[in-house]
Amino acid sequence: MEKQNRLGKLVVISGFSGVGKGTVVKRMISDFEHYALSVSMTTRKPREGEIHGVHYFFVSDEVFEKMIEDGGFLEHAGYVGHYYGTPKAYVDENRSNGIDVILEIEVQGALQIKELFPEAVLIFITTPSAREMEKRLVGRKTESQEQITGRFVRAREEAEHMKEYDYVVVNDDLDDCVRLMEEIILTEPGGPSYDPVFKDQFVKELEEIIAERTGGSSE
Ligand code: 5GP
């Protein structure tokens, strides 16, 4: 892509586990040529089919901790027992070439980015309901039952942060979701897209699911 003077936008995409964030982001990269996707570093083990350097840089705790010490991350966070972080160099280089960089990261990291770069566009993707999230997460069969429960517990915490995002987008139909995201990023229309009634209903269902999975206690 031709070098431009404009600094590329920083686009942060978060969402509950199982919401299809990865698919949405992949489509945005393939449908539009003004995006680059940041490849994160993590200490979790690769899932079947995941490639080092494509899906993540899979590293040991030691390597990750050294990178923190060296100031190599834009942000980093712990998520269900593992480290995840955004290497700084790739993001800086692409943005200075006028390319919009997408970070697909969880809530703690997203809020760190907002502190550092108030101009970043933060988008939270959700499923239409928590039951739908359960269907997708259980259906993909990539995590143990215990890990899935951990992800619901984490989602319960993440729901409280939805309101800190600039936009909340429901991923019901993939094409619609991708189109809406592109429109939001290009025009940044502003205005409320967080709906407290939706959030309360989602949390209520999440608590039911957690209680079912832990035998009655949602703690
Ligand atoms: P997964 O293990 O399902 O690939 O990712 C777990 C969570 O970590 C997801 O919510 C994902 O968005 C988030 N994540 C992936 N990379 C990063 C990163 O570099 N930083 C932060 N803070 N979260 C990340």
Side-chain angles (χ1 to χ4, degrees), residues 13-17 21 38 40-42 44 47 50 56 75-77 79 84-87 104-110 112 140 143 151 158:
I13 298 180
S14 307
F16 302 122
S17 192
K21 281 171 307 211
S38 159
S40 296
M41 201 172 265
T42 183
R44 83 148 162 76
R47 293 187 193 123
E50 283 185 330
Y56 281 105
E75 62 70 37
H76 63 88
Y79 180 92
Y84 294 80
T86 305
E104 194 238 288
I105 63 179
E106 53 67 68
V107 168
Q108 295 173 53
Q112 290 176 46
R140 80 180 180 192
E143 281 88 18
R151 285 176 179 240
E158 288 177 342

Side-chain angles (χ1 to χ4, degrees), residues 59-106:
V59 300
S60 62
D61 282 3
E62 291 69 25
V63 169
F64 199 99
E65 283 161 6
K66 176 80 174 54
M67 182 100 163
I68 299 177
E69 257 178 56
D70 294 346
F73 288 119
L74 217 48
E75 62 70 37
H76 63 88
Y79 180 92
V80 195
H82 298 290
Y83 282 132
Y84 294 80
T86 305
K88 194 169 180 295
Y90 178 87
V91 176
D92 289 351
E93 191 186 317
N94 277 283
R95 287 189 77 204
S96 61
N97 285 329
I99 296 170
D100 302 327
V101 182
I102 298 180
L103 311 184
E104 194 238 288
I105 63 179
E106 53 67 68

Side-chain angles (χ1 to χ4, degrees), residues 19-214:
V19 81
K21 281 171 307 211
T23 312
V24 172
V25 168
K26 231 189 279 160
R27 270 287 303 277
M28 297 192 57
I29 300 288
S30 67
D31 285 13
F32 310 105
E33 45 161 42
H34 59 99
Y35 295 118
L37 176 63
S38 159
V39 178
S40 296
M41 201 172 265
T42 183
T43 56
R44 83 148 162 76
K45 297 275 166 286
R47 293 187 193 123
E48 211 179 309
E50 283 185 330
I51 301 165
H52 181 79
V54 175
H55 298 93
Y56 281 105
F57 295 102
F58 296 99
V59 300
S60 62
D61 282 3
E62 291 69 25
V63 169
F64 199 99
E65 283 161 6
K66 176 80 174 54
M67 182 100 163
I68 299 177
E69 257 178 56
D70 294 346
F73 288 119
L74 217 48
E75 62 70 37
H76 63 88
Y79 180 92
V80 195
H82 298 290
Y83 282 132
Y84 294 80
T86 305
K88 194 169 180 295
Y90 178 87
V91 176
D92 289 351
E93 191 186 317
N94 277 283
R95 287 189 77 204
S96 61
N97 285 329
I99 296 170
D100 302 327
V101 182
I102 298 180
L103 311 184
E104 194 238 288
I105 63 179
E106 53 67 68
V107 168
Q108 295 173 53
L111 298 179
Q112 290 176 46
I113 294 288
K114 196 67 184 173
E115 283 268 329
L116 274 174
F117 304 96
E119 75 282 12
V121 185
L122 266 62
I123 305 176
F124 194 95
I125 309 185
T126 171
T127 41
S129 68
R131 287 291 173 193
E132 176 62 28
M133 172 185 159
E134 181 184 34
K135 232 193 272 169
R136 295 189 200 175
L137 198 51
V138 172
R140 80 180 180 192
K141 298 197 176 95
T142 52
E143 281 88 18
S144 66
Q145 290 302 325
E146 196 188 343
Q147 285 168 330
I148 292 175
T149 304
R151 285 176 179 240
F152 284 116
V153 172
R154 181 62 181 235
R156 171 72 188 82
E157 295 161 21
E158 288 177 342
E160 298 304 331
H161 294 288
M162 273 163 85
K163 59 178 177 298
E164 288 158 73
Y165 281 70
D166 300 307
Y167 303 94
V168 176
V169 170
V170 177
N171 180 18
D172 195 0
D173 177 84
L174 180 62
D175 288 332
D176 288 347
C177 180
V178 169
R179 213 174 302 126
L180 181 59
M181 303 267 293
E182 170 70 349
E183 198 181 306
I184 286 173
I185 295 162
L186 288 186
T187 65
E188 295 186 48
S193 78
Y194 165 73
D195 175 357
V197 176
F198 175 87
K199 179 242 159 185
D200 287 348
Q201 176 58 29
F202 205 100
V203 165
K204 192 168 154 266
E205 271 183 30
L206 274 174
E207 285 174 348
E208 281 166 18
I209 294 168
I210 294 167
E212 284 162 20
R213 299 182 69 87
T214 55

